[in-house]
Amino acid sequence: MSSPETSEKIPLHVDPTERAWMRAAIAILVVFAISVTIAGFMLGIQLPTTEQRVNPQTLQDAPPWSEPGVREIVAGEQYDVYVVAKRFFYEPNVVEVPAGAEVNFYVTSTDVQHGFKIQDTNVNFMVIPGQVSTLTFTFDEPGSYDYICTEYCGLGHAVMFGSVTVTP
Ligand code: CUA
C-alpha cells in the first residue's frame, strides 16, 4: 500500500549561488552570439576556407605554384597572391600590391604546418600541407606590412617572415 505523500512533486531546490551562475552563463552565451554576429557581418571577419587540395610533393611542378607571386587580375583593383610556405621562409618573401585593391591570398605549405599572419591586419590563418588557405584583404593605407609564421614549425620558425609593400 503506497502513501499519497510519495507521489507528490517535490519542488526543485536550486541554490541561489548556482542560480546566479546559471544566469551568468546564459548572459555570456548571449554576449558571444552578439559578438560573433558583429564580427562576421559588420567587421568583415571571415573564417579561412579550404580553397582546394594540392599534393605537397608535386606542388611546384606546375603553375601557379611553380611560380608563386602576384598576379594582376584587374589593374589597380584586383590581385591574386600565391605564397608557398616552407621551412623556414616564404616564396615569395616580398609582395607588392597597390592600396585600395582587393587582394586574394592563396597560401599553402610544402612540408609542415605553418602560419600566415599579416601584421596590423586581421589576415591570420594556418597553412597546412595539402590544402590551400585563402583570404581576401584590401590594404587601405600604403606602407610595409610584414607577414610572419604563427605556428611553431621548427628551429627557424622565428626567422620565417616576408613583407607586403603597399604602394599608393
Ligand atoms: Cu613556419 Cu613557424
Side-chain angles (χ1 to χ4, degrees):
M1 184 179 126
S2 65
S3 68
E5 289 86 351
T6 53
S7 61
E8 265 177 33
K9 285 201 171 164
I10 301 161
L12 180 69
H13 172 75
V14 180
D15 185 85
T17 310
E18 193 177 354
R19 190 186 300 272
W21 278 110
M22 284 160 75
R23 288 195 173 127
I26 291 167
I28 288 169
L29 285 179
V30 171
V31 169
F32 284 170
I34 292 169
S35 313
V36 168
T37 306
I38 291 173
F41 293 98
M42 293 169 75
L43 301 179
I45 292 175
Q46 319 157 41
L47 275 181
T49 51
T50 309
E51 175 74 8
Q52 51 170 294
R53 300 222 164 248
V54 287
N55 183 344
Q57 261 107 45
T58 58
L59 184 75
Q60 291 184 288
D61 295 348
W65 302 107
S66 53
E67 282 177 65
V70 181
R71 307 281 192 281
E72 182 183 278
I73 307 300
V74 181
E77 286 179 27
Q78 202 184 3
Y79 294 80
D80 284 353
V81 178
Y82 293 89
V83 178
V84 177
K86 44 178 96 167
R87 285 182 291 188
F88 298 99
F89 59 97
Y90 293 101
E91 227 188 311
N93 65 359
V94 177
V95 165
E96 193 177 299
V97 289
E102 188 181 283
V103 184
N104 307 306
F105 288 94
Y106 300 92
V107 189
T108 190
S109 164
T110 56
D111 41 42
V112 297
Q113 179 174 307
H114 298 279
F116 188 81
K117 153 86 180 143
I118 303 180
Q119 289 180 316
D120 303 326
T121 71
N122 62 7
V123 175
N124 184 7
F125 51 77
M126 263 186 209
V127 181
I128 297 163
Q131 75 180 44
V132 180
S133 303
T134 180
L135 261 184
T136 298
F137 189 73
T138 297
F139 296 89
D140 294 322
E141 298 293 326
S144 184
Y145 300 79
D146 288 341
Y147 45 91
I148 58 168
C149 183
T150 48
E151 299 283 332
Y152 184 72
C153 51
L155 284 177
H157 164 71
V159 296
M160 186 165 170
F161 70 98
S163 173
V164 180
T165 301
V166 180
T167 57

